[in-house]
């Protein structure tokens, strides 16, 4: 299942590439879909601020939820929805995070995170851990939000484009002002910060006591997860925008460079 910039959402056979069905949205669809195998529903956010729930087998619409964004400026992107206990969580370009009933699409709560900044977008996917949900606005803050009630538990200045990474009691987070942070999960207190020379970092991924990420204008970087100290780097040319895939069993890291090359790096 995937969306495309031609105004269609696709279901394609993984076996032979045959198109099974398409669903028209009349706008680009660049966000990653969420497939709930237990209910047979696929959820995705379109470029026009509409989240759709479709029957995965037939492509028929189950429900939709739409928001109007009056801003003339937004970042091209879109968050993958999150699912927990029969509820869908998703952020929109108007700076609002919502909780919806996964079966009906009815609104359970909404939380306006960013009203005043130039770019109000919520492009990062929500990350849920127990009753805590972690979400960031592009030109805003990182928030910890109550899953049940939608209350802000804590927040820290620093917007983000990529989702956070949870590792035990730590959060690893890439900010839109070109830093990578390690934070305490329970209160958001900063443990360390690493500043890039230029650009922004992809979502950090843990690897055997380190964190791995790509720099949009630089290197594949390995940092000490406890101190933030740089350990190693690899220069693919023209930077990295894709989040690395880490395989600890084979000690390999895979990523796509800005020059459209796919790399396998021996991390050990």
């Amino acid at each position: 299942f995937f969306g495309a910039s031609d105004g269609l959402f696709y279901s394609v056979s993984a076996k032979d590439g045959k198109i099974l069905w398409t669903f028209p949205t009349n706008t680009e669809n660049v966000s990653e879909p969420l497939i709930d195998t237990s209910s047979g529903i696929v959820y995705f956010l379109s470029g026009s601020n509409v989240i759709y729930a479709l029957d995965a087998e037939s492509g028929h619409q189950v429900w939709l939820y739409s928001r109007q964004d009056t801003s003339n400026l937004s970042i091209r992107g879109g968050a993958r929805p999150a699912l927990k206990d029969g509820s869908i969580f998703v952020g929109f370009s108007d700076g609002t995070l919502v909780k919806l009933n996964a079966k009906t699409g009815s609104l359970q709560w909404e939380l306006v995170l960013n009203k005043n900044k130039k770019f109000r977008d919520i492009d990062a996917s929500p990350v849920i851990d127990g009753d805590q949900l972690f979400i960031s606005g592009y030109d805003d803050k990182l928030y910890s939000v109550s899953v049940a009630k939608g209350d802000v538990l804590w927040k820290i200045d620093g917007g983000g484009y990529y989702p956070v990474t949870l590792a035990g009691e730590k959060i690893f987070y890439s900010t839109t002002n070109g830093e990578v942070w390690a934070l305490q999960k329970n209160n958001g207190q900063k443990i360390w910060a690493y500043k890039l020379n230029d650009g922004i970092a992809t979502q950090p991924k843990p690897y055997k006591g380190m964190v791995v990420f790509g720099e949009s204008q630089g290197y594949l970087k390995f940092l000490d997860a406890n101190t933030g100290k740089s350990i190693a780097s690899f220069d693919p040319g023209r930077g990295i925008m894709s989040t690395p895939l880490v395989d600890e069993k084979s000690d390999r890291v895979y990523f796509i460079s800005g020059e459209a090359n796919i790399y396998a790096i021996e991390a050990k």
Side-chain angles (χ1 to χ4, degrees):
F1 301 92
F2 57 88
S5 59
D6 61 357
L8 295 174
F9 186 83
Y10 288 83
S11 172
V12 171
S13 168
K15 181 179 180 180
D16 57 18
K18 178 183 177 182
I19 296 175
L20 303 176
W21 53 258
T22 61
F23 182 87
T25 65
N26 301 313
T27 186
E28 66 176 2
N29 308 291
V30 296
S31 65
E32 182 183 355
L34 168 71
I35 298 94
D36 181 10
T37 55
S38 63
S39 65
I41 297 178
V42 55
Y43 304 90
F44 71 96
L45 182 65
S46 77
S48 57
N49 261 339
V50 180
I51 181 170
Y52 292 92
L54 306 181
D55 180 84
E57 184 174 350
S58 65
H60 294 156
Q61 180 179 302
V62 180
W63 55 259
L64 67 80
Y65 175 85
S66 176
R67 295 193 69 87
Q68 297 297 319
D69 185 5
T70 58
S71 172
N72 293 323
L73 294 171
S74 65
I75 301 300
R76 185 176 184 270
R80 179 179 184 263
L83 175 67
K84 180 178 173 64
D85 298 333
S87 295
I88 290 290
F89 302 83
V90 67
F92 292 87
S93 66
D94 66 353
T96 303
L97 174 71
V98 303
K99 178 182 181 180
L100 307 172
N101 183 294
K103 291 184 178 180
T104 66
S106 60
L107 181 66
Q108 296 178 323
W109 55 249
E110 64 178 2
L111 176 63
V112 179
L113 298 180
N114 191 353
K115 294 181 180 180
N116 304 317
K117 297 295 181 69
K118 183 178 180 180
F119 296 108
R120 298 180 297 178
D121 308 57
I122 298 177
D123 296 301
S125 301
V127 175
I128 299 174
D129 182 61
D131 189 48
Q132 274 186 291
L133 179 149
F134 302 97
I135 190 72
S136 60
Y138 184 87
D139 191 15
D140 189 23
K141 299 175 176 66
L142 173 65
Y143 297 86
S144 170
V145 177
S146 164
V147 168
K149 298 181 179 180
D151 298 328
V152 175
L153 304 175
W154 57 256
K155 57 187 176 182
I156 182 171
D157 282 330
Y161 181 82
Y162 295 95
V164 302
T165 297
L166 303 181
E169 296 305 310
K170 290 190 183 76
I171 295 172
F172 298 110
Y173 176 57
S174 166
T175 72
T176 48
N177 65 354
E179 294 186 348
V180 176
W181 295 348
L183 307 172
Q184 291 183 6
K185 185 175 68 176
N186 62 337
N187 58 17
Q189 184 175 340
K190 196 178 294 184
I191 301 169
W192 54 256
Y194 176 85
K195 178 67 176 177
L196 279 67
N197 291 328
D198 195 14
I200 64 172
T202 67
Q203 181 184 5
K205 291 291 187 177
Y207 168 72
K208 296 185 176 180
M210 294 177 282
V211 288
V212 187
F213 57 87
E215 299 175 328
S216 64
Q217 304 296 321
Y219 298 82
L220 181 75
K221 296 288 294 189
F222 294 78
L223 305 184
D224 185 295
N226 292 318
T227 66
K229 180 182 178 181
S230 178
I231 294 176
S233 61
F234 173 81
D235 184 7
R238 294 185 62 186
I240 304 165
M241 288 294 289
S242 71
T243 296
L245 172 67
V246 178
D247 182 2
E248 291 197 357
K249 290 183 178 180
S250 65
D251 289 307
R252 288 190 175 186
V253 177
Y254 303 91
F255 68 91
I256 302 171
S257 75
E259 293 180 323
N261 296 316
I262 184 165
Y263 284 86
I265 301 297
E266 291 284 1
K268 65 181 178 180

